[in-house]
Amino acid sequence: MGKLRFYTAMAAGKLSGAVLRLMKKSTCYVPGHIAVSVWNDFLSGIQPPKTVIAVTGTNGKTTVDNLITTILQENGYSVTSNRLGPNMRTGIASAFLENCTFSGRCTTDVAVLEVDEGSTPVVFPTMKPDYLICTNLMRDSIKHNGHPWYIAYLIGLATPETTKMILNADDMICSSVRKKGQDVTYFGIDAARPTDYVSSTVCDVVYCPECGEKLEVEYLRYNHIGRMHCPKCGGGSPAPDFLVTDINPTENSFTVLHDGIRENYRLINDNLVNVYNFVGVIALLSRMGLSFEQIAKGFAKTEIVSSRYNVLQLPDRKIVMQMAKGQNAMACGRSYDYVSHLPGKRKGLILLVDDKFDNVKDTESTCWLYDCDFSYLADDSISQIVFAGPRCRDQYLRALIAGVDEKKLRMVDIPKDGAKPFDISLSDDIYILYDVYYVEESYAVRQELMDRMKGEEK
């Protein structure tokens, strides 16, 4: 009966994919959704390729998945990847439907699977990863992932003992995701160590997870990302095997130290969150056996996926689009911090960070706004801020509490109208920060800004 249901699900999934391709529609979700609907255990019938790489964590999964996939393809590997689709079971099923025979045998060399951290208990029993890279574990949407220590427990429970782990050494929650005796490689950053750390937000690592003693902090970059140790039992942040020792935005390069060797790579983006992503990718690919030359070649040709980061350079200013996931306090806070520290004295921000679907089907909790560090928006280099979306008033209030000058703040209820209250004359560079579900609206905002600029030129 299982075989029959699998073949029926396979046929239904492949047929729907063929129809969607004829209609020039995306096949990243629907075929997998149909296959899993026909047989809930569809993935168990897939024969994965020789190497399966899983990518999980709170932030950075898509960037890391795309980098790994692109670099492997640059080096001649054929890859099955859900890089353009959902990271739960249906998106993974869609990726395999594109790259497997009717009998379920995958036809590529490698599978690179972005897996939602809460979905690991569902996906890993069937798609047993040979390698797992965990980027970080932070507070995410309360309705989605709860507390990061709980998510770490789920991932650790779901991951097979044979899986080779690639973990963030500067994240004590992430670095705890391993079993005793498991093959683990750690990555971290030593460059640009902060001399102090002041934040209005919470830190989720205060006490030693082994003995309960209060940890001593060497330094923190943001939230609980940094280096700590326990004065009682000696536990703490593990030593990185792959360590970023230098970041040079001027020369677009960064240096990684491992096994006593220093290697220079092209710096695709200088946001520290992304530098962690980059060194994690280098650690993974190195452990897979790729040489420095092979990895460096991939970095030289790779860009961050445009839906996550995009720069439009105009004659007298630039418009930067950057994802800042709604209801994800850390992701938004990191984006605000990054923009506040960029060069320039007249930066304008348009923020579309509501949850699109909660505003239609559900009730959106605004408590995440108080875990997010809005104090970065009070920086003197920011000339104006527009909050766009149904929760714009809540964000406006949060900004006032954080000390942002009310004269700089504007709001509008409809996300795609984010450009309407924006005064072009007050800003040299414009930053549009948007939720994962507001990509289309963010491009509409950018287009209106460009149309107005052209109108002024005339």
Side-chain angles (χ1 to χ4, degrees), residues 12 59 70 83 102 127 177 218 224 229 238 274 310 358 407:
N59 300 296
T70 301
R83 63 193 296 183
F102 191 80
M127 290 293 131
V177 183
E218 184 179 344
H224 60 269
H229 69 273
N274 279 320
N310 186 282
D358 273 1
K407 294 176 182 177

PDB file of all heavy atoms in Angstrom, residues 12 59 70 83 102 127 177 218 224 229 238 274 310 358 407:
ATOM      1  N   ALA A  12       1.237  12.726  -9.007  1.00  0.00           N
ATOM      2  CA  ALA A  12       0.466  13.956  -8.809  1.00  0.00           C
ATOM      3  C   ALA A  12       1.391  15.166  -8.690  1.00  0.00           C
ATOM      4  O   ALA A  12       1.135  16.227  -9.273  1.00  0.00           O
ATOM      5  CB  ALA A  12      -0.407  13.831  -7.555  1.00  0.00           C
ATOM      6  N   ASN A  59      18.421  32.801  11.698  1.00  0.00           N
ATOM      7  CA  ASN A  59      18.655  33.780  10.629  1.00  0.00           C
ATOM      8  C   ASN A  59      19.821  33.341   9.749  1.00  0.00           C
ATOM      9  O   ASN A  59      20.768  32.725  10.233  1.00  0.00           O
ATOM     10  CB  ASN A  59      18.964  35.158  11.230  1.00  0.00           C
ATOM     11  CG  ASN A  59      17.838  35.671  12.094  1.00  0.00           C
ATOM     12  OD1 ASN A  59      16.744  35.921  11.619  1.00  0.00           O
ATOM     13  ND2 ASN A  59      18.097  35.817  13.392  1.00  0.00           N
ATOM     14  N   THR A  70      25.509  27.538  -4.894  1.00  0.00           N
ATOM     15  CA  THR A  70      26.202  28.213  -5.990  1.00  0.00           C
ATOM     16  C   THR A  70      27.654  27.768  -6.091  1.00  0.00           C
ATOM     17  O   THR A  70      28.163  27.489  -7.190  1.00  0.00           O
ATOM     18  CB  THR A  70      26.130  29.737  -5.809  1.00  0.00           C
ATOM     19  OG1 THR A  70      24.758  30.146  -5.779  1.00  0.00           O
ATOM     20  CG2 THR A  70      26.848  30.453  -6.941  1.00  0.00           C
ATOM     21  N   ARG A  83      16.453  26.311  -2.567  1.00  0.00           N
ATOM     22  CA  ARG A  83      16.952  27.677  -2.377  1.00  0.00           C
ATOM     23  C   ARG A  83      15.908  28.735  -2.722  1.00  0.00           C
ATOM     24  O   ARG A  83      15.955  29.848  -2.209  1.00  0.00           O
ATOM     25  CB  ARG A  83      18.206  27.886  -3.217  1.00  0.00           C
ATOM     26  CG  ARG A  83      17.975  27.760  -4.714  1.00  0.00           C
ATOM     27  CD  ARG A  83      19.261  27.656  -5.507  1.00  0.00           C
ATOM     28  NE  ARG A  83      20.082  28.837  -5.407  1.00  0.00           N
ATOM     29  CZ  ARG A  83      21.228  28.990  -6.058  1.00  0.00           C
ATOM     30  NH1 ARG A  83      21.690  28.022  -6.836  1.00  0.00           N
ATOM     31  NH2 ARG A  83      21.930  30.089  -5.939  1.00  0.00           N
ATOM     32  N   PHE A 102      10.870   8.758 -11.405  1.00  0.00           N
ATOM     33  CA  PHE A 102       9.529   8.387 -10.945  1.00  0.00           C
ATOM     34  C   PHE A 102       9.602   7.405  -9.783  1.00  0.00           C
ATOM     35  O   PHE A 102       8.728   7.376  -8.917  1.00  0.00           O
ATOM     36  CB  PHE A 102       8.722   7.773 -12.098  1.00  0.00           C
ATOM     37  CG  PHE A 102       7.264   7.601 -11.784  1.00  0.00           C
ATOM     38  CD1 PHE A 102       6.394   8.678 -11.859  1.00  0.00           C
ATOM     39  CD2 PHE A 102       6.757   6.369 -11.399  1.00  0.00           C
ATOM     40  CE1 PHE A 102       5.057   8.525 -11.555  1.00  0.00           C
ATOM     41  CE2 PHE A 102       5.413   6.211 -11.103  1.00  0.00           C
ATOM     42  CZ  PHE A 102       4.558   7.289 -11.180  1.00  0.00           C
ATOM     43  N   MET A 127      15.313  12.454   5.743  1.00  0.00           N
ATOM     44  CA  MET A 127      16.448  13.029   5.025  1.00  0.00           C
ATOM     45  C   MET A 127      17.621  13.151   5.985  1.00  0.00           C
ATOM     46  O   MET A 127      17.974  14.235   6.428  1.00  0.00           O
ATOM     47  CB  MET A 127      16.079  14.405   4.454  1.00  0.00           C
ATOM     48  CG  MET A 127      15.104  14.367   3.323  1.00  0.00           C
ATOM     49  SD  MET A 127      15.834  13.587   1.877  1.00  0.00           S
ATOM     50  CE  MET A 127      14.539  12.431   1.458  1.00  0.00           C
ATOM     51  N   VAL A 177      24.182  22.458  20.255  1.00  0.00           N
ATOM     52  CA  VAL A 177      23.413  21.501  19.444  1.00  0.00           C
ATOM     53  C   VAL A 177      24.343  20.400  18.946  1.00  0.00           C
ATOM     54  O   VAL A 177      24.742  20.376  17.791  1.00  0.00           O
ATOM     55  CB  VAL A 177      22.728  22.212  18.256  1.00  0.00           C
ATOM     56  CG1 VAL A 177      21.884  21.225  17.473  1.00  0.00           C
ATOM     57  CG2 VAL A 177      21.851  23.341  18.742  1.00  0.00           C
ATOM     58  N   GLU A 218      33.356  37.811  28.103  1.00  0.00           N
ATOM     59  CA  GLU A 218      34.570  38.407  27.539  1.00  0.00           C
ATOM     60  C   GLU A 218      34.183  39.589  26.666  1.00  0.00           C
ATOM     61  O   GLU A 218      34.728  40.680  26.783  1.00  0.00           O
ATOM     62  CB  GLU A 218      35.344  37.359  26.740  1.00  0.00           C
ATOM     63  CG  GLU A 218      36.658  37.845  26.201  1.00  0.00           C
ATOM     64  CD  GLU A 218      37.411  36.759  25.438  1.00  0.00           C
ATOM     65  OE1 GLU A 218      37.074  35.575  25.566  1.00  0.00           O
ATOM     66  OE2 GLU A 218      38.347  37.127  24.704  1.00  0.00           O
ATOM     67  N   HIS A 224      23.141  37.425  22.544  1.00  0.00           N
ATOM     68  CA  HIS A 224      24.098  36.571  23.262  1.00  0.00           C
ATOM     69  C   HIS A 224      25.270  36.148  22.373  1.00  0.00           C
ATOM     70  O   HIS A 224      26.020  35.233  22.735  1.00  0.00           O
ATOM     71  CB  HIS A 224      23.391  35.323  23.815  1.00  0.00           C
ATOM     72  CG  HIS A 224      22.750  34.481  22.751  1.00  0.00           C
ATOM     73  ND1 HIS A 224      21.437  34.658  22.358  1.00  0.00           N
ATOM     74  CD2 HIS A 224      23.230  33.460  21.995  1.00  0.00           C
ATOM     75  CE1 HIS A 224      21.142  33.772  21.413  1.00  0.00           C
ATOM     76  NE2 HIS A 224      22.219  33.040  21.169  1.00  0.00           N
ATOM     77  N   HIS A 229      32.571  32.546  29.410  1.00  0.00           N
ATOM     78  CA  HIS A 229      33.096  31.351  30.054  1.00  0.00           C
ATOM     79  C   HIS A 229      32.529  31.236  31.464  1.00  0.00           C
ATOM     80  O   HIS A 229      32.103  32.231  32.069  1.00  0.00           O
ATOM     81  CB  HIS A 229      34.633  31.352  30.100  1.00  0.00           C
ATOM     82  CG  HIS A 229      35.208  32.385  31.010  1.00  0.00           C
ATOM     83  ND1 HIS A 229      35.463  33.688  30.598  1.00  0.00           N
ATOM     84  CD2 HIS A 229      35.576  32.331  32.321  1.00  0.00           C
ATOM     85  CE1 HIS A 229      35.979  34.381  31.589  1.00  0.00           C
ATOM     86  NE2 HIS A 229      36.055  33.586  32.661  1.00  0.00           N
ATOM     87  N   PRO A 238      33.017  27.516  22.831  1.00  0.00           N
ATOM     88  CA  PRO A 238      34.081  26.643  22.322  1.00  0.00           C
ATOM     89  C   PRO A 238      35.051  27.402  21.419  1.00  0.00           C
ATOM     90  O   PRO A 238      34.712  28.449  20.857  1.00  0.00           O
ATOM     91  CB  PRO A 238      33.317  25.583  21.528  1.00  0.00           C
ATOM     92  CG  PRO A 238      32.050  26.259  21.123  1.00  0.00           C
ATOM     93  CD  PRO A 238      31.707  27.203  22.230  1.00  0.00           C
ATOM     94  N   ASN A 274      26.206  38.539   8.168  1.00  0.00           N
ATOM     95  CA  ASN A 274      26.564  37.823   6.946  1.00  0.00           C
ATOM     96  C   ASN A 274      27.990  37.277   6.991  1.00  0.00           C
ATOM     97  O   ASN A 274      28.270  36.229   6.405  1.00  0.00           O
ATOM     98  CB  ASN A 274      26.384  38.735   5.725  1.00  0.00           C
ATOM     99  CG  ASN A 274      24.937  38.786   5.272  1.00  0.00           C
ATOM    100  OD1 ASN A 274      24.248  37.767   5.271  1.00  0.00           O
ATOM    101  ND2 ASN A 274      24.467  39.953   4.911  1.00  0.00           N
ATOM    102  N   ASN A 310      19.747  44.278  -1.853  1.00  0.00           N
ATOM    103  CA  ASN A 310      19.813  44.796  -3.210  1.00  0.00           C
ATOM    104  C   ASN A 310      20.137  46.282  -3.146  1.00  0.00           C
ATOM    105  O   ASN A 310      19.544  47.019  -2.358  1.00  0.00           O
ATOM    106  CB  ASN A 310      18.453  44.564  -3.898  1.00  0.00           C
ATOM    107  CG  ASN A 310      18.474  44.929  -5.356  1.00  0.00           C
ATOM    108  OD1 ASN A 310      18.414  46.098  -5.699  1.00  0.00           O
ATOM    109  ND2 ASN A 310      18.541  43.944  -6.214  1.00  0.00           N
ATOM    110  N   ASP A 358      -0.740  37.661   9.384  1.00  0.00           N
ATOM    111  CA  ASP A 358      -1.423  37.882  10.658  1.00  0.00           C
ATOM    112  C   ASP A 358      -2.454  38.986  10.525  1.00  0.00           C
ATOM    113  O   ASP A 358      -3.484  38.980  11.189  1.00  0.00           O
ATOM    114  CB  ASP A 358      -0.409  38.263  11.747  1.00  0.00           C
ATOM    115  CG  ASP A 358       0.172  37.033  12.418  1.00  0.00           C
ATOM    116  OD1 ASP A 358      -0.201  35.923  12.018  1.00  0.00           O
ATOM    117  OD2 ASP A 358       0.998  37.188  13.338  1.00  0.00           O
ATOM    118  N   LYS A 407      10.070  64.266  15.496  1.00  0.00           N
ATOM    119  CA  LYS A 407      10.036  65.048  14.256  1.00  0.00           C
ATOM    120  C   LYS A 407      10.530  64.229  13.056  1.00  0.00           C
ATOM    121  O   LYS A 407      10.244  64.570  11.915  1.00  0.00           O
ATOM    122  CB  LYS A 407      10.894  66.297  14.412  1.00  0.00           C
ATOM    123  CG  LYS A 407      10.357  67.284  15.436  1.00  0.00           C
ATOM    124  CD  LYS A 407      11.303  68.463  15.611  1.00  0.00           C
ATOM    125  CE  LYS A 407      10.789  69.432  16.679  1.00  0.00           C
ATOM    126  NZ  LYS A 407      11.745  70.548  16.909  1.00  0.00           N
TER     127      LYS A 407
END
